[in-house]
Amino acid sequence: MIKTVEWTDEGVRMIDQRLLPVEEKYVMLRSYDEVAEAIKEMVVRGAPAIGVSAAMGIALGTQQAVGTSVDDLQQDFDYICDVMAATRPTAVNLFWAIERMRAAFGRAKAETQDVEEIKQLLVKEARKIFDEDIASNRALGRFGGELIPDGATVLTHCNAGALATAGDYGTALGVIRGARDAGKRIAVIADETRPFLQGSRLTAWELAKDSIPVTIITDNMAGHIMKQGKVDAIVVGADRIAANGDTANKIGTYMVAVLAREHRIPFYVAAPISTIDLKLSSGDQIPIEERNAREVTHIRNQQLAPDGVEVHNPAFDVTPNELVAAIITDKGVARQPYTETLRKLIAS
Ligand code: MRU
């Protein structure tokens, strides 16, 4: 099993995703600000993995707080939560995990005034979020696996696998693993996913490790491959799903969804309930992260564009709900009209 992020006695341990697939290196983060920096710098990335890491970072930082009163601890805790919230804006799992930790602090404070006990309860909550993420991806993998026919070739964009979650199954790749574990023969086409190359570097790496057949294409090949009839289904992850089913995911996902409609290929979104943001009525309200120009102009230290050129680097786009055939969650599969079905699933 790929261990994306782990709680240890020494700190939070992560695989450094910037170095994959060339180097499999683990880093030990010993303070909350190291965890926050790791999220910002994409040592760890992928919506659920960001949420789990932030929860662990909050638990770690609070554990190291020196104040002796509950009020002091609360102050430090609130500050750490704010630092985590400022790391990346689009994936709602980050804010969901912070809310979970805030609620856990509230419950702990109502139970005890012992600072050490409160710290332990926060560690317990962060570990629970980790365990729940693994379990929910297994569940959505089972639901989603049923939608994929035996012998199918599935196209995916970015990395929504073990590396994008607490580990193990992943979301979009969880659906593929769910189908495989149900005895189906599945092949995957992985979009390279410029500019950060999560598809070619991460998805191909983890599928190859899992002996699932995978072929990489560059992003601009997707239309051609679909027109040739080589894609039976598309499954992607999500960073935030609005109440109407509009879905923010890695930049380029929208382009794939439009092509899927043109070629009558089902386009599925796979995400745990923690990715659904009922507070937003539509995808227009989802904040889109703009990242550093260097991600576009360089690959590692190799320059690809002229010095000083203008660059636009939005990290995500929003796919309108009418292009989404189904949203596969850990509580079941939602179909149109999402405004009703997503609410029902969450309440179930
Ligand atoms: O910028 P990233 O690598 O964090 O973006 C990741 C994605 O867009 C994933 O598809 C999404 O978070 C779903 S991960 C299960």
Side-chain angles (χ1 to χ4, degrees):
M1 167 174 157
I2 295 168
K3 291 192 168 167
T4 306
V5 51
E6 255 186 302
W7 178 266
T8 76
D9 290 341
E10 280 176 67
V12 180
R13 188 172 178 265
M14 293 177 181
I15 186 165
D16 188 339
Q17 300 195 28
R18 298 168 305 179
L19 305 179
L20 287 170
V22 181
E23 221 184 310
E24 197 174 323
K25 184 180 161 199
Y26 290 81
V27 289
M28 183 66 75
L29 309 173
R30 296 175 201 275
S31 65
Y32 76 86
D33 43 339
E34 281 182 18
V35 176
E37 200 54 24
I39 296 172
K40 254 191 214 162
E41 293 302 321
M42 313 266 276
V43 173
V44 65
R45 31 63 53 200
I50 292 171
V52 170
S53 303
M56 288 184 176
I58 292 167
L60 181 66
T62 314
Q63 203 179 42
Q64 292 167 347
V66 290
T68 49
S69 73
V70 174
D71 283 348
D72 286 347
L73 193 68
Q74 175 85 62
Q75 230 178 15
D76 287 340
F77 171 85
D78 288 341
Y79 177 77
I80 296 165
C81 288
D82 290 347
V83 170
M84 288 300 164
T87 51
R88 296 193 70 191
T90 304
V92 77
N93 309 61
L94 170 68
F95 307 98
W96 172 89
I98 294 170
E99 275 320 303
R100 280 275 303 253
M101 294 303 281
R102 284 193 197 280
F105 195 106
R107 282 196 310 275
K109 227 167 69 165
E111 235 174 69
T112 176
Q113 290 298 298
D114 182 330
V115 165
E116 291 311 313
E117 256 179 65
I118 295 176
K119 290 178 179 179
Q120 280 321 306
L121 287 168
L122 289 176
V123 172
K124 206 167 145 197
E125 185 70 6
R127 299 185 78 159
K128 193 163 167 232
I129 292 173
F130 172 95
D131 290 339
E132 285 175 12
D133 187 58
I134 303 248
S136 66
N137 293 329
R138 282 271 166 171
L140 79 79
R142 273 193 302 275
F143 289 125
E146 288 172 18
L147 302 177
I148 309 296
D150 185 23
T153 297
V154 178
L155 182 141
T156 190
H157 191 74
C158 192
N159 172 267
L163 288 166
T165 60
D168 181 44
Y169 238 44
T171 59
L173 299 193
V175 169
I176 286 157
R177 290 185 167 108
R180 187 259 331 252
D181 291 347
K184 296 175 185 172
R185 289 158 302 132
I186 307 292
V188 176
I189 294 177
D191 283 349
E192 175 186 46
T193 318
R194 277 278 289 153
F196 207 67
L197 307 175
Q198 290 94 329
S200 55
R201 293 192 305 105
L202 308 178
T203 296
W205 179 78
E206 69 167 83
L207 289 179
K209 238 177 148 48
D210 215 2
S211 303
I212 296 176
V214 57
T215 304
I216 298 169
I217 58 168
T218 63
D219 303 328
N220 52 354
M221 295 173 188
H224 174 67
I225 302 286
M226 287 187 210
K227 194 157 168 251
Q228 288 184 323
K230 290 186 177 161
V231 179
D232 302 300
I234 292 154
V235 187
V236 298
D239 289 85
R240 196 185 295 228
I241 301 171
N244 68 347
D246 289 353
T247 297
N249 190 50
K250 180 52 53 192
I251 192 75
T253 303
Y254 170 51
M255 192 171 70
V256 173
V258 171
L259 285 168
R261 168 62 54 95
E262 171 70 17
H263 297 287
R264 296 184 176 75
I265 301 167
F267 176 91
Y268 299 118
V269 170
I273 291 289
S274 55
T275 306
I276 301 169
D277 187 355
L278 290 183
K279 290 200 286 295
L280 306 187
S281 57
S282 93
D284 297 342
Q285 297 152 25
I286 300 176
I288 301 293
E289 177 182 12
E290 176 77 24
R291 289 190 62 87
N292 200 309
R294 198 181 156 89
E295 285 179 0
V296 175
T297 58
H298 291 68
I299 291 183
R300 301 224 160 94
N301 284 327
Q302 179 67 53
Q303 186 171 343
L304 308 171
D307 287 331
V309 71
E310 276 301 314
V311 172
H312 188 27
N313 185 15
F316 302 96
D317 58 28
V318 176
T319 298
N321 66 73
E322 55 276 15
L323 298 180
V324 179
I327 298 177
I328 303 158
T329 77
D330 44 320
K331 286 191 160 186
V333 177
R335 293 192 188 261
Q336 294 277 14
Y338 293 116
T339 309
E340 285 167 30
T341 55
L342 289 177
R343 254 174 225 285
K344 266 193 204 146
L345 264 191
I346 288 174
S348 66

